[in-house]
């Protein structure tokens, strides 16, 4: 999931590179609603039951998102479901322009 989100954030940053090149905050060029929607699409397009999905844009001198959710994985033993295991997930995917 980290790699998928990193690829998405990199694509967004490349498409809006002028914001970084001019030293201006990225949010002047990147629509936060689109960024959040795109990250949600990346997450929901993968297998597994996810609940409590939260996507927060990262502001400042970086472009990216912080994603958190609970992944529910069925635990099976001898072909029978024994329990659902809930795993809290938090992924931070961001790019920051290097100085120098």
């Amino acid at each position: 999931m980290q790699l998928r989100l990193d690829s998405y954030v990199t694509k967004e940053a490349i498409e809006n590179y002028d914001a970084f090149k001019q030293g201006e905050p990225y949010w002047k060029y990147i629509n936060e609603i689109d960024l959040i929607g795109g990250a949600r699409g990346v997450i929901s397009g993968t297998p597994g039951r996810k609940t409590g999905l939260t996507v927060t844009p990262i502001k400042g001198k970086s472009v990216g998102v912080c994603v958190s959710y609970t992944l529910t994985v069925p635990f099976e033993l001898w072909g029978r479901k024994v329990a659902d295991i809930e795993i809290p997930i938090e992924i931070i995917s961001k790019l920051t322009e290097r100085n120098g």
Side-chain angles (χ1 to χ4, degrees):
M1 192 58 66
Q2 181 75 53
L3 290 174
R4 287 178 183 220
L5 280 172
D6 287 349
S7 293
Y8 170 71
V9 168
T10 300
K11 179 180 97 38
E12 289 297 308
I14 289 170
E15 289 177 3
N16 295 281
Y17 180 69
D18 285 342
F20 292 114
K21 195 166 58 175
Q22 300 302 323
E24 295 184 46
Y26 85 89
W27 62 85
K28 287 187 176 182
Y29 295 88
I30 296 176
N31 183 318
E32 283 185 16
I33 294 170
D34 291 343
L35 185 67
I36 291 169
R40 283 181 174 276
V42 168
I43 298 294
S44 63
T46 59
R49 193 174 98 207
K50 299 161 202 72
T51 56
L53 177 61
T54 304
V55 180
T56 307
I58 295 173
K59 293 185 177 183
K61 296 190 179 227
S62 300
V63 59
V65 290
C66 177
V67 175
S68 63
Y69 59 92
T70 300
L71 178 65
T72 303
V73 179
F75 177 69
E76 295 181 3
L77 191 60
W78 296 294
R80 299 179 81 181
K81 181 176 166 184
V82 176
D84 284 329
I85 299 172
E86 293 185 347
I87 305 166
I89 306 287
E90 182 175 273
I91 302 169
I92 297 173
S93 181
K94 71 177 183 173
L95 292 174
T96 304
E97 184 179 26
R98 292 178 16 190
N99 295 326

